[in-house]
Structures are given as structure tokens and as C-alpha cells.
Amino acid sequence: DRQLTYQKLADALSNLLSGAAFILANNDPTLPAERGLLPGTGSIAALLAVACGRKPDVIVGKPSVYLIEKLLEMHDVKPSEAAFVGDRLDIDIRMANKMGMKSILVLTGIAKKEDLKNAPAKDKPDLIVKSAADVGKALKI
């Protein structure tokens, strides 16, 4: 929510304290923007988690594999037959590798090529592309 206000946070807190489910689309701490990084869903959720005294009930998207498993099942695709494109080594690429998918790092977001030097094996992509526009070519499709 790029129009997040104090009132929206207060309303969310009130709902959570009243027993509403605490569900995240993803847990990314930041998101890239033209002027640099912006707070991501994970940062906003952290604020609410501290305020309400509880962690999210479920994270539907990355780094959770819940949504990916459901999509693969819906389309009858094995993880080894799928690819995941992401811009974060520690969230996107790690999740794809954990699932056994082809992992593709796009360099137009958070991670930079130099970040790969110190990344653990579980965070190393199968392919690296400059932008999402290069994915098809990299996959030879």
C-alpha cells in the first residue's frame, strides 16, 4: 500500500486485536523503486506484529512455498519443469531452489551481481539475466 497512512495502520491493528486473520502476501522487507528502496510488506507487517503482539498467521507468497505449490498443482506441473524469476537471493532464489525449480535472478531489483560472491549455495541462481525481458531468451523459449 503505497498510500499507507497512520489511520490505516491503526485500523489494521484494531482488526488484528479483534481477532482478524494476519495474512501476508509476501514478507519482503523492501521493494525497489526509481528513487531507491521503499518499505515492503515485511516491514509493514513487522510494525503490526510488534503492535499486536503476534506473528502473521500465514505468508501466502514467497518465501513460503504455499502459493507455488498450489499453482504447480493447479497446472499439473512438476517443480523441475518450472522456473521462478526473482530479484532477491535470500527470498526468491532460495525459495525456488528449495522447491527444485529453475531459479532465475533478474538484476533490475534488489540483488546485484556482486552479491553472488558471498551468497550461500542455497541462494545461488541457476541463471542470471539483466531484466525480465531477457528471461525467455535465457530459457531458450
Side-chain angles (χ1 to χ4, degrees):
D1 183 351
R2 296 196 186 180
Q3 286 74 45
L4 184 64
T5 64
Y6 192 82
Q7 186 59 55
K8 287 181 180 180
L9 289 169
D11 292 344
L13 176 60
S14 177
N15 289 331
L16 291 170
L17 292 173
S18 295
F22 194 174
I23 301 170
L24 299 185
N26 65 64
N27 203 25
D28 288 359
T30 57
L31 57 103
E34 281 188 33
R35 64 175 198 213
L37 296 178
L38 297 175
T41 305
S43 295
I44 297 165
L47 181 152
L48 290 168
V50 169
C52 75
R54 66 185 241 234
K55 294 179 180 179
D57 299 318
V58 66
I59 301 171
V60 178
K62 59 194 180 75
S64 167
V65 297
Y66 175 85
L67 184 59
I68 295 297
E69 286 176 338
K70 295 298 178 199
L71 287 168
L72 292 171
E73 182 181 311
M74 281 173 49
H75 297 283
D76 195 29
V77 174
K78 296 179 182 97
S80 60
E81 301 169 335
F84 190 89
V85 179
D87 69 339
R88 291 179 173 276
L89 295 174
D90 62 337
I91 294 175
D92 303 332
I93 302 305
R94 183 181 298 169
M95 185 211 57
N97 290 341
K98 178 180 178 183
M99 286 292 301
M101 302 171 76
K102 183 171 289 288
S103 56
I104 305 170
L105 176 67
V106 63
L107 296 174
T108 52
I110 300 297
K112 304 299 175 215
K113 202 166 190 171
E114 55 269 15
D115 297 335
L116 291 164
K117 286 186 283 186
N118 297 319
K122 64 184 175 182
D123 295 350
K124 296 217 179 195
D126 295 311
L127 296 171
I128 302 167
V129 295
K130 288 184 181 180
S131 77
D134 301 324
V135 172
K137 184 178 178 185
L139 291 174
K140 299 178 176 127
I141 55 173

